[in-house]
Amino acid sequence: MSMTSQTPPSSGGQSLRQWLLSDTPTSRRQARLSALYQGWLALRQNHMAMVGLAILVVLISIALFAPLIAPHDPFVQDLANRLQPLGSEGHLLGTDSLGRDILSRLIYGARITLYIVALVALIAPVVGLLVGTISGYAGGWTDVILMRITDIFLAFPRLVLALAFVAALGAGIENAVLAISLTAWPPYARMARAETLTIRSSDYISAIRLQGAGPLRIIIKHIWPLCISSLIVRVTLDMAGIILAAAGLGFLGLGAQPPSPEWGAMISEGRRFILDHWWVATMPGLAIFAVSLAFNLLGDGLRDVLDPKDSAS
Amino acid sequence: MNAALEINALNVYFGDHGALVHAVKSASLTVAKGASFGLVGESGSGKSTILKAITGLAPQWNGEIKVEGRPLGAKRDRNFYKTVQMVFQDPYASLHPRQSVDQVLSETLYLHGFRDIDDRVNQLLQDVGLGPAFRFRYPHQLSGGQRQRVAIARALAPQPDILLLDEPTSALDVSVQAEILNLLSDLRAAHGLTFVMVSHDLAVVAHMCDQAAVMQHGEILEVLSIDAMRAGQTAHPYTRTLLDASANRVA
């Protein structure tokens, strides 16, 4: 093998593009990068998905640079200045019942929202993937036991089960995340199991079995890569629900605790003044709406790109 | 005894106790080392099932299967997979859609304990008539014939003695079929392989094999040489029917 095209050419954007779109990749890295780039090109065709992605990029930058962006300290109270309307002096989005700047609280709240979303997105799909693929590949009693456990979790309304967990574990963001994750994994397990059932009887799994591969290797290296794309899509579509569940727990006083600027908790606080001072509850509500919408749009676009049924042949 | 493969009174079943299907009934055959043996019959006659039982993909079987004189148990060990390999019918289904040619061959070689993987992958690609340009392509960047060549390369990777071919050309274009069949013939000559080839196409079997077993409803009706088949010396009326159906193409 020639070593000449192992590295991307450094001169000019056009040749890098050609290198990425080459029909005859000459190294593992080129082949992988090329596949990623073509996925990106397909995603870029979907304008709504790009809008969603843009909102999320903005949200992440806001969360990262919160101390630089926020005009005020989100925790400093100014009772003389409470319940100021939109656009008032120094408070673009007004102040809440304790005189805290709502814009600053929303900006810091983005951190909490992302923290919750990231943790749930790390826990629930991984648990679901493990349970689902093991259940689907092993079959027999393993399948029966794991799927009945999944059924038990699925039988409860999600928020009620999360409430029960939080009540048992104690209020707080970490426990809210844990509770949401514990209630969110069963659908992923079901989905991963269904995919595994169709994949495991396919010829390419038979072929790798005939090379003497063990069940662990087959599940991790051959079944997971095919399940993960649909899981990613499902996770992005579920993100909205997760944010809402976290906000719901916050609203009920079982998630983030005051004075934490969690968006759901902020709505809960503003509820008392919703008729006279509507913006106190509405602004965090709009923030939740925007982020949920962004995740939904992105998820929809990702589904078009990642769907294994489309790209398989 | 220089039989590569010996099967005695093999029964294969599918399904549970409630709906048990007796797919192969008391089949017996012997394939000599270096020979090319055909299994012909219509769809559902159990010819592919015999291959599945040999490879362990159909676990419910009884009877005796001997590979190079050693009887097989319920489990296949790594040594078995180094001796016997299989090429599947549909190259569109037998390659993992998310793995490049390189990944497929490298993992196979790794599983069989080879350490000079890089050289071997290139050698395998060369053996099946694909250049190094194909090494990092994904299956969706390959044609059906190219995919089947990759599948053949994968089967050759552990350097097996016996190759089981499950209708290796039936999913391919007619123009590509001949290429793949010629490739298989060349590989057999070059590596001294023993072939067991399943096909419903008598012309393919006549071209590739020296002996064939005719199957119907899970039973082997008769085993005859290709010369006898060409001469029309059949013992069973069903073989006659099969021959007549493709009479103009066997010669």
Side-chain angles (χ1 to χ4, degrees), chain A:
Chain A
M1 258 191 69
S2 74
M3 301 294 285
T4 44
S5 43
Q6 291 275 339
T7 49
S10 48
S11 58
Q14 189 55 31
S15 57
L16 176 66
R17 189 182 148 83
Q18 279 165 357
W19 184 79
L20 281 170
L21 290 176
S22 160
D23 257 352
T24 52
T26 49
S27 69
R28 273 164 221 185
R29 196 155 70 98
Q30 187 183 359
R32 205 171 304 132
L33 288 176
S34 171
L36 277 178
Y37 184 64
Q38 280 171 10
W40 165 247
L41 286 184
L43 184 65
R44 230 172 46 178
Q45 299 294 316
N46 189 328
H47 298 299
M48 293 317 282
M50 294 318 286
V51 170
L53 187 64
I55 295 177
L56 292 179
V57 168
V58 169
L59 181 77
I60 291 170
S61 352
I62 286 178
L64 277 178
F65 302 111
L68 301 176
I69 302 169
H72 297 273
D73 187 318
F75 301 112
V76 168
Q77 303 179 4
D78 181 4
L79 290 175
N81 245 340
R82 62 195 292 264
L83 297 171
Q84 292 295 307
L86 296 184
S88 59
E89 183 76 41
H91 301 287
L92 194 62
L93 297 182
T95 58
D96 67 5
S97 59
L98 295 172
R100 296 172 295 197
D101 182 47
I102 292 181
L103 178 62
S104 307
R105 285 178 68 73
L106 281 183
I107 289 172
Y108 275 90
R111 289 184 157 187
I112 300 174
T113 302
L114 279 180
Y115 175 72
I116 292 172
V117 161
L119 274 184
V120 174
L122 277 179
I123 299 171
V126 172
V127 173
L129 185 67
L130 270 174
V131 172
T133 48
I134 290 173
S135 176
Y137 190 76
W141 278 105
T142 321
D143 185 27
V144 171
I145 292 170
L146 287 175
M147 276 305 112
R148 291 303 80 75
I149 294 174
T150 312
D151 282 342
I152 292 172
F153 275 90
L154 274 174
F156 287 97
R158 190 148 142 196
L159 196 59
V160 174
L161 190 59
L163 273 177
F165 274 120
V166 172
L169 298 168
I173 293 187
E174 282 77 14
N175 288 343
V177 166
L178 205 58
I180 296 171
S181 306
L182 281 172
T183 57
W185 68 267
Y188 300 116
R190 271 297 173 77
M191 200 167 71
R193 175 176 175 270
E195 297 237 350
T196 308
L197 286 180
T198 55
I199 296 167
R200 89 169 169 173
S201 55
S202 65
D203 279 354
Y204 50 84
I205 298 298
S206 298
I208 193 69
R209 274 172 67 193
L210 292 192
Q211 308 300 343
L216 199 64
R217 169 177 286 269
I218 293 176
I219 288 178
I220 292 175
K221 294 197 76 171
H222 296 262
I223 294 180
W224 279 9
L226 291 172
C227 291
I228 279 175
S229 48
S230 53
L231 276 187
I232 289 176
V233 172
R234 178 77 200 244
V235 169
T236 22
L237 290 174
D238 277 359
M239 279 304 172
I242 290 166
I243 294 171
L244 293 178
L249 286 178
F251 180 81
L252 294 169
L254 293 168
Q257 294 301 300
S260 160
E262 203 269 325
W263 294 346
M266 286 170 71
I267 297 182
S268 173
E269 283 169 32
R271 183 176 46 119
R272 282 176 291 154
F273 319 103
I274 198 150
L275 292 179
D276 303 324
H277 311 282
W278 55 271
W279 60 90
V280 181
T282 309
M283 289 307 133
L286 283 177
I288 293 172
F289 162 75
V291 175
S292 303
L293 182 70
F295 271 115
N296 266 335
L297 292 176
L298 182 65
D300 221 33
L302 280 178
R303 184 175 54 197
D304 295 341
V305 176
L306 290 175
D307 191 352
K309 275 99 199 167
D310 282 349
S311 54
S313 56

Side-chain angles (χ1 to χ4, degrees), chain B residues 126-158:
Chain B
Q126 202 155 22
D127 285 351
V128 297
L130 294 172
F134 290 89
R135 180 167 171 183
F136 298 102
R137 290 203 193 174
Y138 287 89
H140 64 87
Q141 295 168 313
L142 301 174
S143 72
Q146 289 166 344
R147 288 179 192 218
Q148 195 60 301
R149 284 172 194 263
V150 174
I152 292 169
R154 172 177 58 193
L156 288 177

Side-chain angles (χ1 to χ4, degrees), chain B residues 5 51 54-55 84-87 162-166 194 196:
Chain B
L5 182 71
L51 298 193
I54 297 171
T55 54
V84 181
Q85 277 295 322
M86 178 157 163
V87 175
I162 303 170
L163 211 51
L164 308 177
L165 305 163
D166 186 0
T194 306
V196 178

